[in-house]
Amino acid sequence: MKLISNLVNCPQDRLYQRVKVRCLVRFLRNKSMLMRSLLIYGICFGTVDAAFASRCKDVEIVLSNNSSNSIKVIKFEYFDFDKGKFRTELLQSLRALVTGSILSSINVDEAKILIDPGKSVSEKENLADIGDQKTFFKVTYQKRNAGFDNSSFSSSITRQTTPFICKDNSTHSVNLD
């Protein structure tokens, strides 16, 4: 028993206990630093995750041909105000909206969509990098020239929508005339 009390009262043990306390204090300080680091990492990771999730989901895009000629849609774009640039969306699989039957032909190879006069086509898209943000659509198209030559088209025409806030499951129309 005396041997044990001598060990406890030994100056080396006191030094060991001080070192042990210092290590524990350092650990707690480092733990605090670790917690702060994890918190900062979580905030950064959450921001990065939110940036990747920043998309406008299931947006229905309706293109309406209000002219008396068929039109060929060449390009669909939406504006990313944060980046200050247009983003192109491929609309190769548009479907007609009229009584469930496809009344417009879709040329997938050339990524151009032909819409008959008075008809509309629609597609749901996920638009990247603009979730709950302001944007507008820009559509570039050509009108089929009237007459015997049905294969010729006018020069390119561009139509834009007015700016709007893009929300999930929303519908936006572009009137082409």
Side-chain angles (χ1 to χ4, degrees):
M1 185 84 156
K2 192 169 186 173
L3 180 65
I4 293 174
S5 67
N6 281 343
L7 284 175
V8 170
N9 294 328
C10 174
Q12 288 97 357
D13 281 343
R14 287 186 193 145
L15 180 63
Y16 174 73
Q17 288 176 353
R18 283 186 204 155
V19 170
K20 195 170 156 183
V21 168
R22 284 183 187 159
C23 287
L24 182 61
V25 168
R26 283 186 187 156
F27 173 75
L28 291 175
R29 284 184 191 155
N30 288 339
K31 185 176 178 185
S32 176
M33 291 275 290
L34 177 66
M35 293 304 284
R36 281 184 270 176
S37 298
L38 287 174
L39 178 64
I40 291 170
Y41 174 77
I43 290 169
C44 291
F45 182 73
T47 303
V48 170
D49 190 38
F52 283 118
S54 176
R55 61 178 60 212
C56 207
K57 297 176 186 167
D58 296 325
V59 176
E60 185 172 6
I61 301 161
V62 180
L63 304 176
S64 299
N65 181 357
N66 295 332
S67 74
S68 58
N69 298 334
S70 295
I71 59 171
K72 178 170 51 174
V73 177
I74 298 168
K75 191 182 216 183
F76 176 84
E77 300 169 286
Y78 60 96
F79 194 74
D80 182 346
F81 277 93
D82 284 349
K83 300 280 195 246
K85 68 178 186 176
F86 280 99
R87 296 185 178 276
T88 302
E89 191 71 31
L90 294 177
L91 299 177
Q92 298 178 358
S93 60
L94 288 176
R95 298 169 297 278
L97 282 181
V98 183
T99 62
S101 64
I102 296 180
L103 299 175
S104 302
S105 63
I106 300 170
N107 188 341
V108 176
D109 296 331
E110 295 178 8
K112 295 176 184 165
I113 301 148
L114 187 65
I115 306 173
D116 292 330
K119 305 297 181 204
S120 297
V121 292
S122 172
E123 183 175 286
K124 285 200 177 211
E125 290 289 335
N126 293 326
L127 306 177
D129 298 321
I130 61 161
D132 291 328
Q133 296 176 5
K134 186 165 87 168
T135 189
F136 62 90
F137 295 157
K138 181 168 91 171
V139 179
T140 305
Y141 65 99
Q142 296 174 320
K143 287 184 182 181
R144 178 173 274 155
N145 291 328
F148 294 107
D149 184 15
N150 278 341
S151 62
S152 67
F153 286 85
S154 68
S155 57
S156 294
I157 304 167
T158 303
R159 288 287 179 262
Q160 293 182 353
T161 63
T162 57
F164 60 89
I165 303 295
C166 194
K167 298 281 186 190
D168 292 351
N169 301 307
S170 58
T171 300
H172 302 281
S173 298
V174 184
N175 293 318
L176 309 173
D177 45 18

